[in-house]
Amino acid sequence: MANIVILGAGYGGMAAAVELEKSGLPFTLVNKHDYHYFTTLLHEPAGGRNEFEQYYVNLHDVLRRESSLVQKGMVKELRPKENKVVTEQGELSYDYLVVALGNAPEFFGIPGMKEHALLLRSLETAQQIHDHVERAFASYHQDQDESKLRILVGGAGLTGVELCGELAEWLPELAGQYGVPFSKIELINIEAAPTILPMLSDELREAAESALRKKGVKLLTGVAITKVNRDQVELKTGEVIDAKTIIWTGGVRANPLIAEAGLQTDPRGRAMVNEYLQSVDFSNVFVIGDSASFTGEDGRPLPPTGQAAAQMGDHAAQNLTHILQGRPLEPFRFVNMGTLASIGHEFGVGSVKGLNAVGVPASLMKEASKVKYLWSLGGLRMVSLKRGQLKRKGS
Ligand code: NAD
């Protein structure tokens, strides 16, 4: 029996593992945590919408076959020439490898960003943002330092915009809870490009901008952050803004282990893959998700999204099954299901299968996509398990 190792239990690695289970193939999944969290929803618990437990599933609740081995630990190194990976536990050999190690933050060399900004990348960092904001509000009365009530979010891609939408609904609640003056709260989203959400149509973008503004978010577009100091951001315009909470959502690049392994990469450090999702350097290594540079139908690399990662994971596992059954490999085709951005819990913008949606309908579609995703992991059992945990914070 072939020895298959999957690295990473994000959207790509999970999809690959679930598909291999369906084919009855044994594998070892190595992941930093013994759970899978929902990266594209992290703004919700960070902004206090629901309890954190709703945003992850334990790997053993999804992968239930005895032949599916889960190894908790960090991957340290890929050694594709030796068919080995090095993890915290030691070396692991493989016949076939699926690399689904996700991304790393892109700081674009902005001085001080790495040292001073919070990030929204994991359950831990979402909790950090949540607790940091709450602490700042809770301690406002000690010194009346107004920068404690100012929150700067750098980058207005989907992560930044969805986080701002969520924070905008939570901050007034917090203000009430800690008795801080509502009028002094400032939530500022700073974007270097001329517009927010460049991937959306003008109509959707304008709807998103207007919804954010109505919720009290200040949008500064066409303004790059050039430096970050402790509790302070410097802008290209020369303006300096003091804020106790600085959050960076300015973009991602591939996990650095890819380039360190000597695989051919694109400028964002993503491994070049062929039409079957195999590394162009090693045919027994599949690379998927944010770590892979796969050229889409428009001739450009697919952007690093959860839906692309999940589709690639599914496909890589199917191609692996084909190899082991001596059948020809199938080329990967990305099916764009659309993009949905929530702006708070009752408003959204997006397009699904070419149809635009704004407001509550988009929000409902986003809720439906969450259920669909849970279903893909474990059918009705998984939907019941996680939706049963649905509760608002503090309820
Ligand atoms: P992104 O790269 O999409 O957006 C980052 C933004 O930061 C850009 O608009 C960029 O212009 C801006 N920026 C960069 N440098 C700056 C600077 N110095 N000052 C101010 N602004 C600066 O990153 P993201 O939003 O984290 O998204 C990463 C990927 O994940 C994307 O492909 C996105 O589509 C995907 N994603 C999807 C969802 C969803 O489907 N709901 C949610 C989150 C992320």
Side-chain angles (χ1 to χ4, degrees), residues 4-8 12-13 16 20 94 96-101 284-288 312-313 316-317 320:
I4 302 172
V5 172
I6 304 172
L7 304 180
L20 286 178
Y94 61 82
Y96 294 96
L97 183 68
V98 180
V99 181
L101 287 168
N284 64 337
V285 176
F286 287 83
V287 189
I288 59 174
M312 286 170 145
L320 245 169

Side-chain angles (χ1 to χ4, degrees), residues 39-40 43 108 110 113 154-160 162 190-193 195 197-199 223-226 248-252 268 290 303-306 339-342 366:
T39 314
T40 57
H43 54 279
F108 299 110
I110 300 169
M113 188 63 89
L158 283 163
T159 310
E162 292 196 298
I190 302 172
E191 169 56 55
T195 63
L197 301 174
M199 73 296 285
V223 182
I225 297 174
T226 49
W248 177 239
T249 62
V252 295
R268 292 226 154 183
D290 295 0
T305 62
T339 303
L340 283 168
S342 67
K366 183 125 190 176

Side-chain angles (χ1 to χ4, degrees), residues 106-268:
E106 174 65 274
F107 296 108
F108 299 110
I110 300 169
M113 188 63 89
K114 190 175 179 186
E115 294 75 19
H116 300 300
L118 295 162
L119 302 169
L120 183 62
R121 299 188 46 76
S122 61
L123 287 178
E124 288 99 333
T125 57
Q127 181 90 57
Q128 274 168 18
I129 290 176
H130 181 274
D131 295 353
H132 184 95
V133 172
E134 184 157 4
R135 267 199 309 274
F137 275 54
S139 65
Y140 172 73
H141 276 301
Q142 290 168 9
D143 50 13
Q144 316 261 310
D145 175 355
E146 289 181 9
S147 73
K148 287 183 173 170
L149 306 184
R150 191 171 301 118
I151 292 156
L152 290 185
V153 177
L158 283 163
T159 310
V161 162
E162 292 196 298
L163 179 61
C164 283
E166 217 64 38
L167 291 172
E169 290 187 354
W170 183 44
L171 298 182
E173 270 180 46
L174 265 189
Q177 198 177 329
Y178 292 104
V180 306
F182 179 70
S183 60
K184 292 200 188 297
I185 298 174
E186 270 189 286
L187 173 56
I188 310 174
N189 194 189
I190 302 172
E191 169 56 55
T195 63
I196 68 166
L197 301 174
M199 73 296 285
L200 296 185
S201 67
D202 288 350
E203 182 202 342
L204 293 176
R205 195 162 48 230
E206 278 160 24
E209 278 183 17
S210 142
L212 286 167
R213 289 207 165 96
K214 268 194 205 136
K215 286 180 190 292
V217 182
K218 284 190 187 166
L219 293 175
L220 295 185
T221 50
V223 182
I225 297 174
T226 49
K227 193 172 175 204
V228 184
N229 310 308
R230 194 181 160 84
D231 303 333
Q232 190 180 66
V233 157
E234 296 184 21
L235 306 182
K236 202 170 180 188
T237 52
E239 197 182 345
V240 176
I241 308 178
D242 292 330
K244 276 281 183 290
T245 305
I246 300 166
I247 305 166
W248 177 239
T249 62
V252 295
R253 56 183 294 108
N255 188 307
L257 291 178
I258 303 287
E260 286 164 24
L263 301 178
Q264 286 180 63
T265 58
D266 72 4
R268 292 226 154 183

Side-chain angles (χ1 to χ4, degrees), residues 11 36-57 62 162 166 169 306-307 310 337-348 352 360-392:
Y11 290 111
H36 159 67
Y37 59 84
F38 310 145
T39 314
T40 57
L41 301 178
L42 289 172
H43 54 279
E44 294 186 8
R49 190 192 300 199
N50 296 310
E51 297 288 351
F52 275 80
E53 67 192 9
Q54 209 203 320
Y55 296 91
Y56 69 91
V57 286
V62 180
E162 292 196 298
E166 217 64 38
E169 290 187 354
Q307 62 164 321
M337 306 302 282
T339 303
L340 283 168
S342 67
I343 301 188
H345 74 286
E346 282 179 353
F347 191 93
V352 175
V360 175
S363 201
L364 291 173
M365 280 174 173
K366 183 125 190 176
E367 286 306 308
S369 73
K370 293 180 193 173
V371 176
K372 193 172 163 225
Y373 182 62
L374 289 173
W375 186 275
S376 75
L377 290 180
L380 188 57
R381 181 179 57 81
M382 191 56 63
V383 177
S384 314
L385 179 72
K386 293 320 283 185
R387 298 310 269 187
Q389 291 172 350
L390 179 60
K391 54 179 185 270
R392 291 273 288 173

Side-chain angles (χ1 to χ4, degrees), residues 250-321:
V252 295
R253 56 183 294 108
N255 188 307
L257 291 178
I258 303 287
E260 286 164 24
L263 301 178
Q264 286 180 63
T265 58
D266 72 4
R268 292 226 154 183
R270 296 178 288 192
M272 305 304 296
V273 295
N274 65 17
E275 58 186 326
Y276 309 116
L277 302 177
Q278 293 160 301
S279 149
V280 295
D281 304 293
F282 299 92
S283 63
N284 64 337
V285 176
F286 287 83
V287 189
I288 59 174
D290 295 0
S291 295
S293 186
F294 176 84
T295 307
E297 277 169 9
D298 59 0
R300 304 215 311 250
L302 283 184
T305 62
Q307 62 164 321
Q311 289 181 30
M312 286 170 145
D314 221 38
H315 195 85
Q318 283 166 14
N319 267 346
L320 245 169
T321 312

